[in-house]
Amino acid sequence: MKKLLFYLSVLLFSLILNAQENPFKNEIIAFLKQDSIQKPEDGMVLFIGSSSFRLWKDVKEDFKNPNILNRAFGGATLLDVIQYQEAVALQYKPKKIFIYCGENDVASSDKVTPKMVFKRFKTLYKSLRNHFPETPIVFVSLKPAISRWAMKDRMIATNKLIHGFMKNKKNAVFVDIWDAMLENGEPKKDIFKEDNLHMNSQGYAIWVKEMNSLVND
C-alpha cells in the first residue's frame, strides 16, 4: 500500500508539473484519486483505450458484470495509452484486458498509415504482455463510424494487421465488430449519436453481442 501511495504521489506531482502538455491530466488524476481512496480488487475485467470505451457508462449493466474496471480516457491514441499505461493498466491485477484504441491514431492525420498504427499497437501489446504474461488480452477492432467513413480503407487495413498479429499469439483475441455495424456495406445510421462518431445504446448492444462471451466466461 505504501508503494502504491508513493507512486501515486510521484505521478500526481509530475502530471501537475506538465499540465500544459497533458490534455488528459484531469482524467488520469481522477483515476489515481479513485484508486487511492479505494483500490480496485484483483481479478477485474479491465477496459482501456479511447472514448468508445470511456463513454460506455452502462458497461457493467450491459454485460451484467459488476467486476468491470473502465480506465479508458479522452480521445486517446495508442501513444497516449502507452504513455499512461502505468496509471491505467500496469498497477492493477486484471483477469482480462480489453483494448479499444487506434481509431484516433488513424484520424489524427492522413500521414498516419496502418503500419504506423500497427507498430504502436505492438509496442503496447509487448508492454502489457511483459507485465501480464498469462492474462488474456482482447483487442476490439476499429469501428466504422459515419463521420470517419472516408478513412475506412486505412481502418480496415489496420484491423487486418492487428488481427493477423493477434491470431498467432497465446491468450490473445481479436474481436471484429466492423461487419456487425454495417448495413448494405455502410455504417448503420441508427446506432450513433448526433456526432456520427460515438455510439448510442443500440450501437453498444452490438458490441455486447460480440463481446459478451469473452467478458463473462
Side-chain angles (χ1 to χ4, degrees):
M1 187 63 181
K2 290 182 179 179
K3 183 177 180 181
L4 175 62
L5 290 174
F6 174 76
Y7 166 74
L8 292 177
S9 63
V10 171
L11 186 53
L12 279 169
F13 183 68
S14 66
L15 287 171
I16 292 169
L17 284 179
N18 295 292
Q20 297 301 318
E21 304 171 11
N22 183 4
F24 305 116
K25 71 179 187 301
N26 291 333
E27 289 175 87
I28 301 301
I29 288 173
F31 290 153
L32 297 173
K33 285 183 177 179
Q34 290 172 28
D35 293 347
S36 67
I37 295 170
Q38 184 173 1
K39 186 177 182 294
E41 296 179 3
D42 295 347
M44 300 287 279
V45 178
L46 178 64
F47 279 41
I48 60 174
S50 58
S51 56
S52 289
F53 270 0
R54 174 177 62 86
L55 296 172
W56 201 343
K57 302 303 182 183
D58 298 325
V59 63
K60 294 181 181 181
E61 292 78 11
D62 287 347
F63 285 107
K64 297 179 175 58
N65 188 330
N67 297 316
I68 293 173
L69 180 65
N70 194 339
R71 287 295 180 261
F73 59 94
T77 64
L78 286 162
L79 294 177
D80 296 320
V81 177
I82 291 167
Q83 182 177 357
Y84 298 113
Q85 60 184 308
E86 285 284 352
V88 303
L90 302 188
Q91 65 163 314
Y92 306 119
K93 295 181 180 179
K95 177 183 178 181
K96 297 179 182 179
I97 301 171
F98 284 75
I99 304 168
Y100 183 81
C101 202
E103 183 183 341
N104 291 323
D105 299 67
V106 174
S108 66
S109 172
D110 292 340
K111 296 181 180 179
V112 176
T113 66
K115 287 184 178 180
M116 291 168 64
V117 182
F118 177 46
K119 183 177 180 181
R120 296 174 185 180
F121 171 74
K122 286 194 296 183
T123 298
L124 176 61
Y125 179 89
K126 181 179 180 180
S127 180
L128 292 174
R129 182 52 75 219
N130 285 342
H131 199 84
F132 305 108
E134 301 298 328
T135 303
I137 297 175
V138 181
F139 182 85
V140 179
S141 75
L142 308 191
K143 72 180 191 293
I146 296 171
S147 64
R148 292 176 171 174
W149 193 234
M151 308 172 192
K152 65 181 181 299
D153 290 340
R154 285 189 294 144
M155 291 191 178
I156 290 171
T158 300
N159 281 337
K160 184 176 181 179
L161 288 170
I162 296 175
H163 186 195
F165 174 81
M166 295 288 278
K167 70 181 182 182
N168 293 316
K169 299 296 181 181
K170 181 182 177 183
N171 292 328
V173 180
F174 179 93
V175 178
D176 182 9
I177 49 83
W178 183 276
D179 291 340
M181 296 179 69
L182 299 180
E183 187 172 56
N184 298 321
E186 295 187 351
K188 293 181 179 180
K189 302 298 189 291
D190 61 348
I191 62 174
F192 292 96
K193 295 181 178 180
E194 291 182 359
D195 61 7
N196 284 326
L197 174 60
H198 298 105
M199 296 178 295
N200 58 30
S201 60
Q202 292 173 272
Y204 282 119
I206 294 173
W207 285 33
V208 171
K209 182 178 179 180
E210 300 299 322
M211 297 167 58
N212 188 59
S213 62
L214 292 168
V215 172
N216 289 314
D217 70 355

